[in-house]
Amino acid sequence: MLKKRLEALGSLFDEYQRIAQQKHAWVKLPLWTLAVLSSASSFIDNPVLGSTVFNQAGLHAWRVKTAAQLAMRRRGKLAKHLSTDELAFFEKNGFIIKENFLPDDTFALLEQELLGTELPARETLQGNTVTRRIPLDYRTLPQLPQAQQLIAQSNFQHLINYVGSFKVQPMLYVQTILSQVRKANEDPQTSLHADTFHSSVKAWLFLTDVVEDEGPFVYVPGSHQLTPARLEWEKQRSIHAATADRMSARGSLRVSAAELTQLGLPAPKVFAVKKNTLVVADTFGFHARGKSSRPSTRIEVWAFARRNPFLPWVGCDPLALPFLQDKVIPLYWWLLDELEKREWRKNPWRAVGQLRAGDSARFTQK
């Protein structure tokens, strides 16, 4: 037994030495190693996280299991803000759904405001689909009093915090999904996937009715739970993830219908919902953007938050500091622009000027 353990340790040491011999590893190796205790998820960009040897030994599985345990503890501290029914529903399903989230008159004003105001927008093109995002930040919110009221709602924030397992300052946008804007490959977001190896949160307050065959949100109920079968699936997928499809290699593992059955999971739920429906989901669970059978438009207030899953505390989010909280998106987009200017990384989000949320797509050719 001792001999086998020593051989295993020797194999891990040899793998670490192999990684250390890569180009510029003397600079990158400390960062690659520290990333083990961060939200970093790309198997292909980090040879430590993507190592077949390390993941056969259980590195990725350890990260998944530890992150899930910490998320459960943090949610325990945030549970007091939700009702017993909400907690039970989330535990079973991995999402919370609220129909008629806002009073009718309040929603009508929000809808009119967000669909009728021209605001600075960016778009990205994936396959045959354009995603447009209009940030709700220090530049736009002064023109949007109804959006300000929505963001300030404690119930809205509590749901996002609990599902994400942190008190967070989410990024908030008016998001438009424009399907089939050109003849091209399918939108990669239509494949069932987990966003990353740990719990994170996305929320959608739909500003338009969502039809079943026009790109609805899709989620596999219960797939947020880290069962023994899911943990073993994560381990096996991680072993060769660095050479898998592009999205899986970057840490967003794709899952097939056959694998769902093997994991004992149900068929995906399709969120064909009326406008003024709020959905808040843990995107460690398997989800996708449903396929659209025709050109279509879906518009929503969209929130996203993700923190380092290895933090034991629920608060202390630096992005929530008063001088930062409404400037996160402009800083993020500025950083992406700078990286492109320096030819380090192409920015997929192209500025398309002042638009209304429902306007036709501008960025239709790369």
Side-chain angles (χ1 to χ4, degrees):
M1 181 66 72
L2 178 60
K3 183 180 178 181
K4 288 184 177 180
R5 288 183 178 178
L6 290 174
E7 288 176 350
L9 287 173
S11 175
L12 295 176
F13 181 73
D14 290 344
E15 174 69 357
Y16 200 71
Q17 283 191 313
R18 182 191 69 79
I19 294 171
Q21 293 170 2
Q22 294 188 22
K23 187 176 181 180
H24 301 309
W26 66 275
V27 174
K28 297 179 180 179
L29 188 59
L31 298 177
W32 289 336
T33 305
L34 289 172
V36 169
L37 293 177
S38 77
S39 61
S41 60
S42 177
F43 298 98
I44 195 170
D45 294 326
N46 184 326
V48 172
L49 300 182
S51 165
T52 294
V53 174
F54 288 161
N55 288 326
Q56 283 176 329
L59 174 61
H60 178 74
W62 176 84
R63 296 182 84 215
V64 172
K65 184 176 181 180
T66 303
Q69 290 171 339
L70 287 167
M72 185 180 299
R73 292 178 193 173
R74 290 191 301 266
R75 286 193 180 116
K77 298 176 183 178
L78 296 165
K80 62 185 177 181
H81 299 296
L82 272 64
S83 70
T84 302
D85 288 346
E86 289 170 333
L87 295 172
F89 190 90
F90 173 77
E91 176 62 24
K92 178 181 178 181
N93 295 288
F95 60 85
I96 294 173
I97 181 169
K98 297 284 185 181
E99 297 176 346
N100 301 311
F101 179 67
L102 296 174
D104 290 346
D105 56 345
T106 302
F107 178 78
L109 291 172
L110 179 70
E111 179 186 23
Q112 180 181 11
E113 178 179 273
L114 294 182
L115 299 186
T117 307
E118 287 191 346
L119 296 164
R122 292 208 181 199
E123 294 179 350
T124 191
L125 180 62
Q126 291 181 295
N128 61 10
T129 300
V130 165
T131 300
R132 172 183 300 142
R133 288 182 185 161
I134 295 172
L136 298 177
D137 59 22
Y138 77 98
R139 300 168 303 176
T140 59
L141 282 172
Q143 308 169 58
L144 306 170
Q146 299 302 317
Q148 291 181 53
Q149 290 182 32
L150 169 67
I151 295 168
Q153 278 201 27
S154 59
N155 188 34
F156 181 69
Q157 187 66 51
H158 288 327
L159 290 170
I160 290 173
N161 289 347
Y162 182 81
V163 173
S165 82
F166 284 105
K167 291 181 179 178
V168 291
Q169 175 60 46
M171 289 184 171
L172 291 149
Y173 303 86
V174 180
Q175 176 171 269
T176 305
I177 311 297
L178 299 122
S179 300
Q180 295 196 21
V181 299
R182 64 173 187 162
K183 291 183 178 180
N185 295 330
E186 285 187 353
D187 175 4
Q189 300 305 322
T190 59
S191 297
L192 282 170
H193 61 278
D195 278 354
T196 188
F197 70 93
H198 61 87
S199 290
S200 59
V201 62
K202 288 180 179 176
W204 300 257
L205 177 61
F206 295 102
L207 298 173
T208 53
D209 293 341
V210 182
V211 181
E212 187 169 347
D213 62 350
E214 291 187 354
F217 177 59
V218 174
Y219 193 95
V220 179
S223 61
H224 69 302
Q225 297 172 353
L226 186 61
T227 62
R230 173 68 181 273
L231 185 59
E232 180 61 22
W233 180 87
E234 291 277 347
K235 180 178 179 179
Q236 294 304 319
R237 287 298 306 275
S238 71
I239 292 171
H240 301 294
T243 55
D245 64 272
R246 184 175 67 89
M247 301 301 286
S248 292
R250 297 200 175 280
S252 180
L253 295 177
R254 268 44 191 168
V255 64
S256 68
E259 287 173 310
L260 289 182
T261 301
Q262 293 167 6
L263 290 169
L265 291 168
K269 173 182 171 59
V270 176
F271 286 80
V273 297
K274 296 292 185 183
K275 59 186 178 182
N276 196 18
T277 298
L278 174 69
V279 177
V280 187
D282 178 357
T283 55
F284 176 66
F286 296 125
H287 62 285
R289 182 181 298 154
K291 295 180 180 179
S292 185
S293 61
R294 63 187 70 85
S296 62
T297 301
R298 193 185 91 195
I299 308 175
E300 61 234 4
V301 175
W302 186 77
F304 163 76
R306 182 184 300 167
R307 294 193 68 191
N308 184 335
F310 299 105
L311 297 175
W313 53 80
V314 299
C316 301
D317 182 2
L319 301 184
L321 292 170
F323 60 88
L324 270 181
Q325 60 183 358
D326 58 357
K327 300 178 180 66
V328 174
I329 297 171
L331 287 170
Y332 171 66
W333 279 348
W334 172 83
L335 176 61
L336 292 181
D337 289 339
E338 285 298 307
L339 290 174
E340 181 166 297
K341 286 178 184 177
R342 298 173 187 271
E343 299 183 348
W344 291 350
R345 177 183 174 184
K346 187 174 181 180
N347 182 2
W349 290 97
R350 318 311 291 184
V352 290
Q354 299 274 129
L355 296 176
R356 292 184 178 89
D359 286 348
S360 59
R362 297 294 188 269
F363 181 42
T364 58
Q365 296 293 332
K366 291 188 178 180

